[in-house]
Amino acid sequence: MTVDPPATAHDAEHRRAARLAAVQALYQADVSASPADQVVAEFLRHRLVGPDAAEVGGRESAPVVDRAFFAATVEGAARAHDRLDAALNLCLDKGWRMERLDRVLRALLRAAAWELADRDDIPVAVTIAEYVAIADSFFTGPEPALANAVLDRFARQERTAATAEPT
């Protein structure tokens, strides 16, 4: 699924809200062992406000979410789960594996890694900054710095591999 890049600052805010919701949805899918498409459908029906709606479930102050970007992120990260985890494991310090990380941090890294790997229309710096900001909202310890370092390594590895000339 191709999603157009944000055209305005307003669109960027909607995408920022979609990233946060994607982390929450991936966390929920992990905890409940629910299929990603089922979790996406639940979020779209009951939790997210789209640009065409004034409110959902009586929550007028909920942020407006780029619903297409949200769905693409959750479903893309879920489909690429094994590939992303294998690549992310290579970016973690020796002795660390994705399975050892907090579930929220795992969800965040998977969403960001999908975006870095599959959305080359979005600048690396934007993706990393957005997800580090999300990490800052969830964690007060070293996790945001860890997310920054892992995503930076992942981006270098992924974007280099994607642009490498065949030998």
Side-chain angles (χ1 to χ4, degrees):
M1 168 190 276
T2 301
V3 182
D4 293 327
T8 67
H10 199 65
D11 294 336
E13 290 175 22
H14 298 175
R15 191 167 277 181
R16 182 171 298 122
R19 287 181 177 104
L20 174 60
V23 170
Q24 293 168 328
L26 287 166
Y27 171 83
Q28 180 176 319
D30 187 27
V31 169
S32 67
S34 299
D37 60 338
Q38 189 176 45
V39 175
V40 166
E42 177 189 331
F43 269 67
L44 291 174
R45 251 191 331 271
H46 302 295
R47 297 183 185 192
L48 302 181
V49 176
D52 57 342
E55 67 177 275
V56 167
R59 296 182 349 204
E60 292 179 24
S61 64
V64 176
V65 173
D66 180 332
R67 295 160 68 92
F69 187 75
F70 161 78
T73 302
V74 175
E75 291 170 358
R79 264 192 317 276
H81 175 276
D82 293 338
R83 171 178 59 93
L84 295 174
D85 276 16
L88 286 164
N89 279 329
L90 297 174
C91 299
L92 292 168
D93 287 339
K94 188 173 182 165
W96 281 89
R97 310 261 315 143
M98 286 290 285
E99 301 83 34
R100 286 187 63 194
L101 300 179
D102 174 270
R103 285 183 171 181
V104 173
L105 186 56
R106 283 196 315 247
L108 183 144
L109 290 173
R110 287 174 182 147
W114 173 81
E115 188 173 318
L116 289 166
D118 291 9
R119 293 300 308 270
D120 59 2
D121 60 311
I122 301 171
V124 168
V126 169
T127 300
I128 293 174
E130 290 285 331
Y131 283 100
V132 169
I134 292 170
D136 278 330
S137 70
F138 281 109
F139 301 104
T140 58
E143 293 86 354
L146 172 69
N148 188 42
V150 169
L151 294 175
D152 184 59
R153 286 183 204 130
F154 180 88
R156 290 174 196 267
Q157 167 187 300
E158 191 66 30
R159 297 278 171 108
T160 301
T163 59
E165 293 290 326
T167 57

